[in-house]
Amino acid sequence: MAALGLHRLGSSVLGRCQPVLCSSQCSLLSTQAAAGHRRGAQSFPVIPGAILPIYRHVYEANSRNSDRCRHRYTELLEKVKLGGGENAILRHTERNKKLLVRERLKRLLDDETFLELSPFAGLGLPYGDVPSAGCLTGIGKICGIWCMFIANDATVKGGTAYPISVKKQLRAQEIAIQNRLPTVYLVDSGGAFLPLQAQLFPDKEHGGRTFYNEAIMSAMKIPQVAVVCGSCTAGGAYIPTMAEETVIVDRIGTIFLAGPPLVKAATGEDVTAEDLGGAKLHSRVSGCVDHFASTESDAYNYARMIISTLNFDPEQEDGARYEDPAYNTEELAGLAPRDYTHTLDVKLILSRLVDGSKLLEFKADYGTTLVTGFASVEGNLVGVVASNGDLTHDASLKGSHFVQICNQRNIPLLFLQNTTSQDHLPLSVSKAELLSNRLKTQASMIAAVACATVPKITVVIGGCHGGESFAMCGRSYEPNFLFLWPNARIGLVDAARFSWSDQKDKGWTDETEFRAQLSR
C-alpha cells in the first residue's frame, strides 16, 4: 500500500535525524549503541502471523474494501497531479515557458524518489478545489543530504496562496525545524488570494508565520535556499529575500511587492515586470539575489551546488542488513479494517511491518487491548504502541509505562492507531466509577506521550475517533509524521456507534441518509 511505503521512508528519515533531537552526549551514546540495537532486534521472538481460516471471511471483506479505497486513492492522486488543469498547464509551459513543478523537482533532487507530504490538501474546500493546496512539499535528497522542499505550483491559480496553502507550508517548516532539515523554496507565486485575506494574514498561524519561521530557522542554523522560478509578488517576495542564498531565473523570475498593473494604477507609470523586478535588476542593482541563472536548469544546478557547500556530511549508507517481514506484506490490504468498531489482531499487521516479523513484547499478558514492544524497521530500533481494541484502564497504564521507558532510552516511537469513539454516558454509578478510573489512566498516558521528546510516527490503520486518539499520539500531540492508510477515517465520533433507534426521535426519517451524513 502507498501509505506503507511512506511510513517506511518516514521511519528511515527520523531514524537518521534522531541524534539531532537530543543532547550531544545522548547522541554519542545512541550512535555507539546502534549496532547493539540491531543485534538485539535480530534475537527478538517471531510474531505468529498466519491468518486462520476462521478469519478468512473478514480478511476477504477487508481486501475488497481496500481495493475500493486504493482505486479512489489513485483517482485523487492523478487529479492532483494535473494541478490547475490542462489549460493552465499549457499556459504555464507554452506561453510562460516554464517547467512544471514536478519537472523542477526532478532537476533539483538526486532522483525521483521523495517523501511527498499532504498531497490531497486543498480538495473539497468551501472555496473550491485547490489541488495539493497549490504547492508541493516533501523530503528528498540533494547531493546526498536530506532536505525539505516547498515548491509552488503556478498552474493552480498562478501559485496564489489560499489559507490551506499557508497551513501546508507552515507544516513543512515545522517538520524542517523538528528534524533540522535544510530547506529549499521553489518560489512561483502571485501572493495571497485577497478575497480570503482575513484567513490569510493577521493571526499567529497565518501567512506572516512563514517569515517568522524563516528567521527562527536561520537562528537555529538550518540552511535555507530559494530559487525564484516565477513571480514573487507581495508577501511572496519576502521568502527569497529572507533565505540565506537565492537564485533567480532570467526572464522568468521576478520579485516585487506590487506588479506593473498596481504601479500603473498608483502612479500612472508604465513599467514592465522585467524592469520593475526582473533577474538583471535584482542581481546587478538591488542585490536581493545572489546568483543569476540563464535557464531553469542552470538555477537548479546552482541550488545543488549551494547545498553541497553546507558543510554537512552526506549520509553514508552503512550497509546494515535487515530481515524482510516473514509474512507477505501484500496481505496488509486484507488486514486494513473495514469496520472501525473492531479489527483482527493487530499482531497480524505488525508481523507484516517489522523486520523479520520479530517483536519483543512488553507486558504481553496485561492490558491486551494495547500491544507494546520493541522491534526494528529497516534496521532502526523502535518502540511499538498499537491499538488492539478499546484503550482500557490496564492498557492505558501499560502504555504510559512503555512510552516513558522508550523516552528514557531514546528510542523512537511508532503508533499504530485504530481507536473508537467513547461509549454513551454510563447508566449506573458503578459504570461511572469504572469510566472515571479509565479516564484517569488515559490522562496519564496522554501526559507521557505529550512529554516524550523522542521522534514519534503515527500511522492510522483504521479509525481515529474520540479522546483515545490523543493518548495514541493524534495530530494535536505533534507526531513528527502522521500517515493514514487509504481506508482510515478521522472524526470525533464513529457513525457506527450511533443507534438508529435513538435517532428517529430526533427528527431523522431515513437511516441511509443519516449514516451518509455522519460518514461525510
Side-chain angles (χ1 to χ4, degrees), residues 357-489:
S357 301
K358 295 176 180 178
L359 174 73
L360 179 60
E361 196 167 354
F362 177 80
K363 290 185 185 291
D365 299 323
Y366 180 78
T368 55
T369 57
L370 186 73
V371 173
T372 57
F374 301 99
S376 65
V377 178
E378 295 194 356
N380 298 290
L381 182 66
V382 297
V384 175
V385 183
S387 299
N388 204 33
D390 288 344
L391 193 58
T392 63
H393 173 278
D394 292 353
S396 300
L397 287 178
K398 170 180 170 178
S400 299
H401 189 178
F402 183 71
V403 168
Q404 290 168 339
I405 286 176
C406 289
N407 192 51
Q408 186 179 44
R409 298 178 186 174
N410 198 32
I411 298 173
L413 286 161
L414 171 62
F415 294 86
L416 298 185
Q417 185 181 131
N418 181 28
T419 64
T420 59
S421 55
Q422 299 294 327
D423 292 327
H424 295 298
L425 293 176
L427 301 177
S428 66
V429 174
S430 60
K431 288 186 177 180
E433 185 176 352
L434 289 173
L435 181 60
S436 296
N437 291 333
R438 176 177 171 179
L439 290 175
K440 287 177 183 177
T441 54
Q442 285 185 8
S444 297
M445 185 173 174
I446 286 172
V449 171
C451 295
T453 57
V454 295
K456 291 169 279 194
I457 300 175
T458 301
V459 184
V460 182
I461 61 175
C464 175
H465 299 106
E468 288 190 3
S469 67
F470 302 150
M472 291 297 294
C473 200
R475 172 77 276 159
S476 55
Y477 283 77
E478 295 191 355
N480 293 59
F481 290 91
L482 184 144
F483 301 107
L484 276 71
W485 280 6
N487 62 293
R489 287 188 181 180

Side-chain angles (χ1 to χ4, degrees), residues 190 231-234 254-267 269 271-273 276-277:
S231 179
C232 286
T233 307
T254 56
I255 303 175
F256 34 60
L257 291 179
L262 286 180
V263 173
K264 175 69 173 177
T267 68
E269 181 182 2
V271 63
T272 66
L276 184 63

